[in-house]
Amino acid sequence: MQAERVLAEHRRFLECLERPGEVQHDLLRDMLERNADTSFGREHGLASVRTLDELRRAVPIRTHEAMMPWIERAMSGEPKVLTTDDPVVYFSSSGSTGREKHIPITRTYMRQTFLPFYHASFAPLLQAMPHAPAAPGGVLNLWQDPTSPITRTPQGRPHIGASQVDYRKFGEDSAVGLGNNAPWSRIPEALADDDPWERSYYKLRLAAEQDIRVVIGVNPAMVAGLPYQLRQMWPRLVEDIRAGTLGGHRHSTPNPERAEQIEEYAKTFGTVHPYHLWPHLAAVFVWNSGLARSYLPRVRETYGPGVRLFPAPIASCEGPAAVPVDGHPHGAPLYVPGCVYEFVPAERPVTADSETLSATEVEEGRDYHLVLSHVGGLYRCAVTDVVTVVGRVGRTPRIEYAGRDVVRSVAGERLTEAVALRALRAACDDTGAELRNATFRLCPEGEGAGPRYQVAVSFAGPPVPELAAALDRRLSRECPGYAAGRGSGSIRPVGVITVHPDAFLREWERAARSGQRPPRIKDRVFLPDEERWARIVATAQEVAA
């Protein structure tokens, strides 16, 4: 990664922040000019569209699933369906229905939208640590893995996560991720097809003999998972380093001195933490919103007392959303040169004809569904994320990821992830509780005397029994429907279940061992899987409000 390119894209973005309306208008015009003469463009009359209001009248809001008929035509080889230049890659992500997403990625989108966004995102980190790009051997990149096994569409196009892209194939040598050019960082071909859990161990093993200064994590679940993995696997790490092996293969010169050093840490402290391996570690690049806001402060301690958390950008597989520009810990200005953004107030669900607000019309302190359009072939696509406007940078809204567009309701309360998280954070502030992780479950009426919510909590310290009552009060304050349900007796008091400190990390391990790549294993505010819930709360204790 070239610092000059990063800083240039950062400056270009900063210049947009005082004129978001003009930037969005120009972006819309370019998108329409490029893609009006496509099957989608002709069907929706995009050639006559000039303004956002006209786009609203011409194109209904759709989810990715609703856009799949056009995407499938492009995947089958039909030219000029959504874009004039055909997709070369499809980004993958699990959809809300469980069906794998296929987000078309064209060269124009990569060149004009994704790569400028990607580069600009690293600017605060590189401004604080300008020597990082010149010293790739000191960077551990947990997120990017361009050598991991990939799947393909029926027509042979790569169907991969954004973390698997090898940007050199787009002629972008400068976009090679920090740490991916380090000679020690490549997993040998003989081990390339091993499962994601083993591959994540190999990364740890390869980095354990290096002087790591920066960790690129992005997904906070991976940043939390590395110290857990190190606690579980340090004896194997010691054996491999002592013998100079990796995955049973001869890999490097045996290093008994380093092996003994790590063993001594384990004897002295009872385990091995990242700061034992890397005493010069200074920065972790990680997304710091959602549940991560509650647990990352304690996770950071295992990386070292002086380590800074640099916020990663806000994005979905459908497109970029926001890029950090300053020291704000969890909010970032909307990436106005990347997508045309619309917002639907989150108090109600998104429909095809929902009224939307532009980037200049949103209000601070409110939650919104995010709808985006971009040159890569998505038009008024409702993503599965909700954002909160937490301020402005210049005239551009600063947004924070608030949660997925998931709602639970048993008595008309419409409890959203954003509201549930806000109530949980406030209840922790009220009681002094610190969390390792948490997840909500709506108990059906058949379980006990009536429906209620339960929250499985892994505490980062002694359990706090008062959290249940505090959470019940905060849910009533944040969600009027919940307050009404509690008042009428149709919703019973919330229950807090104290689970094992490693309960959520064990689920992370289980998912990786089953074949999920770690960048895709995310925190879940509302857990949809009853089997996972049962594993998490096994041998737990509950306190009711």
Side-chain angles (χ1 to χ4, degrees):
M1 177 171 283
Q2 297 175 359
E4 296 82 3
R5 175 75 182 278
V6 169
L7 298 177
E9 293 295 354
H10 180 64
R11 287 192 297 271
R12 187 173 80 91
F13 177 44
L14 291 177
E15 292 169 357
C16 297
L17 298 180
E18 289 292 347
R19 49 190 187 92
E22 176 187 344
V23 172
Q24 290 276 279
H25 175 77
D26 292 346
L27 187 64
L28 175 63
R29 180 183 59 193
D30 178 70
M31 177 187 74
L32 296 172
E33 287 178 353
R34 287 182 178 274
N35 293 331
D37 188 23
T38 59
S39 297
F40 186 95
R42 291 189 294 272
E43 183 174 337
H44 292 82
L46 295 187
S48 61
V49 171
R50 296 290 182 274
T51 66
L52 182 58
D53 278 340
E54 291 173 350
L55 182 69
R56 288 166 173 149
R57 290 191 289 270
V59 181
I61 297 173
R62 293 183 175 95
T63 62
H64 165 266
E65 287 79 10
M67 293 202 68
M68 275 305 294
W70 288 279
I71 295 173
E72 286 172 343
R73 286 165 58 187
M75 287 170 58
S76 70
E78 182 181 339
K80 294 187 177 182
V81 178
L82 290 163
T83 52
T84 53
D85 55 336
D86 295 330
V88 293
V89 170
Y90 290 84
F91 279 176
S92 65
S93 179
S94 179
S96 58
T97 63
R99 183 184 180 186
E100 193 73 19
K101 289 185 179 180
H102 292 74
I103 307 299
I105 305 298
T106 66
R107 293 189 181 278
T108 299
Y109 172 78
M110 289 294 290
R111 185 177 64 252
Q112 293 192 0
T113 302
F114 186 87
L115 286 171
F117 160 80
Y118 168 82
H119 280 99
S121 300
F122 285 96
L125 172 64
L126 296 195
Q127 286 170 335
M129 301 188 67
H131 302 300
V139 180
L140 170 58
N141 197 321
L142 300 176
W143 181 66
Q144 284 181 304
D145 191 3
T147 65
S148 60
I150 67 172
T151 59
R152 295 184 179 274
T153 68
Q155 295 297 314
R157 296 296 191 190
H159 182 214
I160 56 180
S163 60
Q164 294 176 279
V165 176
D166 186 346
Y167 301 112
R168 286 170 292 197
K169 294 183 178 179
F170 289 88
E172 287 278 357
D173 289 350
S174 68
V176 175
L178 288 173
N180 282 340
N181 266 348
W184 58 265
S185 66
R186 291 286 170 140
I187 295 172
E189 289 186 13
L191 305 173
D193 292 331
D194 285 1
D195 67 57
W197 174 256
E198 284 296 291
R199 289 179 63 88
S200 65
Y201 166 74
Y202 299 152
K203 279 196 173 187
L204 179 57
R205 155 68 180 96
L206 294 172
E209 294 184 87
Q210 311 302 319
D211 183 19
I212 299 299
R213 308 295 181 98
V214 178
V215 171
I216 306 297
V218 182
N219 178 0
M222 287 197 298
V223 172
L226 185 143
Y228 165 78
Q229 193 169 26
L230 187 54
R231 284 192 284 117
Q232 301 295 312
M233 306 183 79
W234 69 260
R236 179 181 174 187
L237 194 70
V238 167
E239 291 178 6
D240 272 339
I241 292 173
R242 179 177 285 122
T245 54
L246 179 68
H249 298 265
R250 179 68 62 186
H251 179 74
S252 58
T253 303
N255 192 348
E257 183 179 350
R258 178 60 165 164
E260 290 170 10
Q261 185 182 49
I262 296 172
E263 262 187 326
E264 195 59 36
Y265 286 133
K267 291 177 183 177
T268 303
F269 298 99
T271 188
V272 180
H273 292 302
Y275 66 81
H276 295 140
L277 290 183
W278 308 306
H280 299 122
L281 185 65
V284 177
F285 184 75
V286 61
W287 179 70
N288 191 14
S289 299
L291 275 166
R293 280 183 60 182
S294 297
Y295 67 70
L296 276 179
R298 278 299 189 97
V299 170
R300 186 182 67 84
E301 294 174 0
T302 67
Y303 283 82
V307 170
R308 290 181 59 185
L309 300 181
F310 286 85
I314 302 170
S316 67
C317 63
E318 288 90 348
V323 170
V325 296
D326 51 28
H328 197 288
H330 44 80
L334 196 67
Y335 189 64
V336 288
C339 301
V340 176
Y341 299 102
E342 299 174 69
F343 300 83
V344 177
E347 301 90 68
R348 52 185 182 271
V350 180
T351 61
D353 58 354
S354 289
E355 294 185 6
T356 65
L357 301 171
S358 70
T360 59
E361 296 171 328
V362 293
E363 300 176 29
E364 187 173 343
R366 293 193 66 181
D367 297 335
Y368 294 95
H369 303 285
L370 190 61
V371 177
L372 57 81
S373 306
H374 60 60
V375 72
L378 296 187
Y379 307 91
R380 307 199 74 208
C381 181
V383 305
T384 56
D385 294 337
V386 173
V387 299
T388 305
V389 178
V390 295
R392 279 181 167 74
V393 182
R395 296 177 59 204
T396 299
R398 187 196 296 270
I399 63 171
E400 173 189 351
Y401 170 78
R404 296 165 67 239
D405 182 17
V406 177
V407 178
R408 294 290 183 266
S409 183
V410 73
E413 69 273 19
R414 280 190 53 81
L415 181 63
T416 66
E417 281 198 1
V419 169
L421 275 177
R422 211 157 29 238
L424 181 60
R425 284 197 295 267
C428 287
D429 290 341
D430 293 341
T431 60
E434 294 183 271
L435 310 183
R436 292 178 183 267
N437 214 317
T439 191
F440 284 71
R441 172 184 182 249
L442 177 57
C443 304
E445 190 169 355
E447 295 188 15
R452 62 170 178 158
Y453 290 88
Q454 289 179 311
V455 188
V457 174
S458 172
F459 286 96
V464 180
E466 299 82 9
L467 182 62
L471 179 57
D472 201 61
R473 290 192 298 270
R474 286 293 184 173
L475 285 170
S476 294
R477 187 176 303 179
E478 295 285 346
C479 181
Y482 183 87
R486 288 286 291 113
S488 67
S490 57
I491 302 176
R492 294 170 58 214
V494 67
V496 170
I497 302 175
T498 300
V499 303
H500 190 279
D502 288 339
F504 291 90
L505 293 166
R506 290 170 178 170
E507 283 300 300
W508 177 80
E509 176 184 349
R510 183 185 181 92
R513 286 186 181 276
S514 71
Q516 293 188 51
R517 292 188 307 105
R520 293 187 53 165
I521 305 172
K522 308 290 181 61
D523 298 319
R524 288 288 182 250
V525 179
F526 290 126
L527 198 64
D529 187 338
E530 287 294 318
E531 290 184 5
R532 288 175 62 191
W533 173 268
R535 288 193 299 267
I536 289 171
V537 302
T539 68
Q541 294 182 339
E542 179 175 356
V543 175

